[in-house]
Amino acid sequence: MPNNNNHKGETLVEVRNLVKYFPVRAGLLQRVVNHVKAVDDVSFIVRKGETLGLVGESGCGKTTVGRTMLRLVEPTSGSVLVNGRDVFRMKGDELKAARRDMQIIFQDPYASLDPRVPIGESVMEGLHIHQIGTPRERVAIMLETLKKVGLEEYHARRYPHEFSGGQRQRIGIARALALRPSFIICDEPVSALDVSIQSQVLNILKDLQQEFGLTYLFIAHNLSVVEHISDRVAVMYLGKMVELTTRDELFRNPLHPYTQALMSAIPIPNPRLKRQRVILKGDVPSPLNPPKGCRFHPRCPVAMEKCAQEEPAFKEVAPEHWVACWLVE
C-alpha cells in the first residue's frame, strides 16, 4: 500500500484495500449466482493540492473507484480516509458534512443536470442542501462561480438543452465548485468533448486548482490528457492497480507490460517518427470470472508460467514507483 510518510505534501485522501463486487442474480428467486469484481483490492493515496490521474481501458473499474470513494455506490469492503476520517463509517450529518468537502464532475454533463431546472438553480442546489448563506448570498456565490468557469450571468436563467457540450461541462464544474470543496473527482470530464474544447476545460480545471488549492482524482482513458494535467498517474487493469508513479517517470520508464502497451498507442505529432506498437492479443477478460494469477497474463506478450499461478504484489520497486508484475521483480 503506497505509504503516507512522504516529503512531497501531506496526504488528503487514503484508499485502503477498496473492494466493490456487484451481485449477479438469476432464477425465479433472484438468488445471487456470481459477482462482477469491478474493483478488487485497490489502494492508493492522493496528496493535498495534486492531481492523481487514474487510467485504464473502458470497464477496468476506474469510475467505480471514484463513485465508491464518495459512497455514491456502497463499497463491499475497504476504507477511504479523508483527512484521517473514514468515509465508509460516517452516517447522517457527519456524512453530509463530509460530502460538502468532496465533489464529483460527471462524464455526461447533460445526464447529470435536471432538464426542467435553470442551470443557476442546479449550481445553487448544494448551497440550499447545506444551508450556506442567505438566499441573496447563494445567488451571489452562484453568479461568481459561473464567471470562474467562463459563463455569464444571463446563462443562469437558461436550461441545459440551450447549451453546447463544452458549456454543459463548465456548468458541471461550477456545480462541483460552488461548495468550495477541497477534493474533486473528475470522472472523464473531457472524453465527450471536441479536442479544441477539451483543452479549454482542462485549463479551467488547472486554473481553479491553483486559485482554490483543489485536489483532483482525474479519471480518463486518454493518456495525452492525463499527461497534460496529472502530477502522478495510476494505471488500472480489470479491477486491479498495476502501476503508480509520477507522470514524468511513467512516460519515461513504464515498467508494467500493460502500461507499455498503452504508451505505445499514443500518437507522435511527427509523421517521420513511428512508435513501436505493442499489439495486445485477445479481449479484456470478464470481471465475472477474472483469470487466476496476474489478471493481465492471458494478453501479456512476456508472460511466464508463474504469472498464471500467483498474483504479483503491488509494491514499490523504486522511489515513488509502484508496480504489480513478476517480471519487474
Side-chain angles (χ1 to χ4, degrees):
M1 152 93 219
N3 65 0
N4 312 343
N5 310 322
N6 201 288
H7 58 281
K8 293 188 180 173
E10 58 187 299
T11 300
L12 177 71
V13 181
E14 183 177 347
V15 178
R16 289 184 186 162
N17 309 109
L18 183 63
V19 175
K20 177 60 191 174
Y21 292 173
F22 292 98
V24 178
R25 299 176 187 276
L28 260 174
L29 299 173
Q30 288 294 290
R31 286 202 176 100
V32 175
V33 293
N34 206 338
H35 286 91
V36 175
K37 298 174 175 69
V39 178
D40 203 354
D41 195 17
V42 164
S43 300
F44 59 90
I45 61 167
V46 190
R47 301 193 183 105
K48 268 185 190 165
E50 81 164 347
T51 301
L52 176 67
L54 184 59
V55 299
E57 289 169 286
S58 295
C60 74
K62 310 182 297 289
T63 293
T64 307
V65 166
R67 293 189 176 205
T68 310
M69 284 170 72
L70 298 184
R71 274 180 68 182
L72 298 177
V73 177
E74 286 296 327
T76 302
S77 66
S79 57
V80 171
L81 307 177
V82 178
N83 285 319
R85 291 157 62 222
D86 190 350
V87 177
F88 296 167
R89 294 193 172 181
M90 293 177 184
K91 289 187 177 119
D93 289 344
E94 188 188 10
L95 179 61
K96 184 178 173 182
R99 284 233 166 105
R100 180 181 167 181
D101 208 32
M102 306 184 297
Q103 292 291 308
I104 185 167
I105 300 165
F106 292 100
Q107 179 176 358
D108 183 352
Y110 191 58
S112 63
L113 292 167
D114 187 337
R116 298 163 300 179
V117 173
I119 63 109
E121 291 293 323
S122 289
V123 172
M124 281 195 292
E125 190 177 6
L127 301 172
H128 288 307
I129 290 167
H130 291 276
Q131 297 171 339
I132 294 166
T134 61
R136 186 172 284 181
E137 285 167 345
R138 287 172 200 160
V139 171
I141 292 170
M142 177 266 292
L143 293 174
E144 186 200 353
T145 308
L146 287 180
K147 278 189 177 159
K148 294 273 182 213
V149 299
L151 294 170
E152 299 298 330
E153 285 190 13
Y154 63 83
H155 285 133
R157 296 185 293 277
R158 292 189 179 174
Y159 290 84
H161 71 270
E162 298 180 75
F163 294 93
S164 68
Q167 286 175 316
R168 283 186 206 136
Q169 198 53 284
R170 288 167 192 247
I171 296 161
I173 294 169
R175 193 172 54 173
L177 188 69
L179 290 165
R180 300 293 183 263
S182 59
F183 178 55
I184 298 180
I185 292 176
C186 308
D187 184 10
E188 304 204 21
V190 296
S191 64
L193 306 177
D194 293 344
V195 175
S196 57
I197 309 295
Q198 282 185 10
S199 56
Q200 291 174 18
V201 171
L202 291 173
N203 289 334
I204 286 172
L205 287 170
K206 282 183 124 175
D207 293 344
L208 293 172
Q209 184 173 36
Q210 288 184 330
E211 186 174 346
F212 295 104
L214 297 169
T215 304
Y216 293 144
L217 175 67
F218 192 91
I219 298 167
H221 53 240
N222 184 335
L223 280 160
S224 305
V225 167
V226 168
E227 186 179 18
H228 177 69
I229 199 165
S230 302
D231 300 302
R232 290 187 304 139
V233 182
V235 182
M236 274 185 81
Y237 182 79
L238 205 63
K240 290 272 187 191
M241 199 72 88
V242 295
E243 189 159 4
L244 169 63
T245 186
T246 60
R247 173 193 60 194
D248 296 343
E249 175 69 11
L250 191 84
F251 282 82
R252 185 177 65 242
N253 181 29
L255 294 179
H256 197 281
Y258 176 61
T259 314
Q260 291 165 1
L262 288 180
M263 294 293 175
S264 78
I266 303 173
I268 302 173
N270 183 340
R272 292 198 182 88
L273 292 175
K274 280 200 86 174
R275 210 187 278 274
Q276 189 67 39
R277 278 299 308 269
V278 179
I279 307 293
L280 297 177
K281 56 193 180 194
D283 294 319
V284 182
S286 166
L288 270 170
N289 188 19
K292 284 195 172 111
C294 171
R295 295 196 171 180
F296 186 56
H297 86 261
R299 304 176 71 201
C300 183
V302 288
M304 309 177 292
E305 238 178 87
K306 192 176 187 181
C307 302
Q309 291 152 5
E310 289 179 62
E311 191 180 315
F314 186 58
K315 59 189 195 183
E316 197 168 17
V317 295
E320 285 278 294
H321 201 148
W322 296 76
V323 186
C325 181
W326 289 120
L327 273 169
V328 176
E329 296 182 28

